[in-house]
Amino acid sequence: MEDRRRPGRPAADDETIDADHVLSSALAVFAVQGYDAVSLRRLSAELGMGHTFLSDRFGYKEKLWQAAVEHAVSKSGPPVVEALRADAPDDLTRLVGAVRAMHRTAFDEAGLAALIDQESRQDTERLAYIYDLIRPVNDELRAIFERVVATGECRPMPWYMFYFLVTAPTSLYVQPPLAALLGRPGDAEDHELLSELVLGGLLA
């Protein structure tokens, strides 16, 4: 029977492949080294696989990159969406919950935040690909943000400024060597404090 699985995705029933490990590891390498510096052959070896493991399954580097980004977004997006659509008393509560969720997922899935930071420095097709993946969540967040600004519960500011004020502090998790030099413990659980400080500056 012809194999109809989509290129770039390991077979779901392939017990020899830990897809989460492979894609999370690939994402981390892309985030640190940059897309152009990554070699599928070398990455396969670093994962302890055969030299052609990744090329056999993903075809070429772009497909692996896309699969890794999709995998990360599939894990980081749902908690934010859940907060945005919560059965809450008002939009402000949903907005606060979404900001907290964004910081928590950045803490848990720092690889995606690092990759976005890496790719956001140039206007490329890869950046457009990431933006299209996260656009639905951003659109929901923006709608709630604009309603909360209209009620006077959030300081008036452009949407883009709100977005960067919320996401830029997560560099705390993207730059662990610098954070360690500044005294951040390796086992710090500080995403809740980060949320409190950011929200304190945003809410009226």
Side-chain angles (χ1 to χ4, degrees), residues 56-141:
D56 288 346
R57 283 156 180 77
F58 295 92
Y60 50 99
K61 186 165 61 173
E62 182 181 4
K63 286 296 184 183
L64 172 61
W65 183 91
Q66 290 175 350
V69 173
E70 289 175 15
H71 179 67
V73 171
S74 74
K75 292 195 295 182
S76 65
V80 181
V81 172
E82 182 179 354
L84 292 171
R85 301 177 183 177
D87 184 14
D90 50 44
D91 281 328
L92 178 61
T93 303
R94 282 183 280 272
L95 183 71
V96 168
V99 170
R100 293 185 186 281
M102 291 172 74
H103 290 165
R104 185 172 64 250
T105 57
F107 174 83
D108 293 336
E109 305 290 339
L112 179 60
L115 183 78
I116 292 174
D117 181 70
Q118 172 78 245
E119 294 292 348
S120 296
R121 300 171 191 177
Q122 299 183 68
D123 185 6
T124 66
E125 291 184 1
R126 293 192 303 278
L127 177 58
Y129 190 86
I130 293 172
Y131 186 76
D132 284 343
L133 285 178
I134 65 176
R135 185 203 300 263
V137 176
N138 282 345
D139 286 347
E140 287 195 47
L141 178 61

Side-chain angles (χ1 to χ4, degrees), residues 168-176 179 184 190-191 194:
T170 61
S171 61
L172 175 64
Y173 313 126
V174 173
Q175 302 169 11
R184 181 176 184 255
D190 44 17
H191 58 85
L194 180 66

Side-chain angles (χ1 to χ4, degrees), residues 16-17 22 40 44 47 49-58:
T16 67
I17 298 174
V22 169
L40 292 191
S44 291
L47 290 171
M49 309 296 185
H51 289 310
T52 63
F53 172 79
L54 293 174
S55 58
D56 288 346
R57 283 156 180 77
F58 295 92

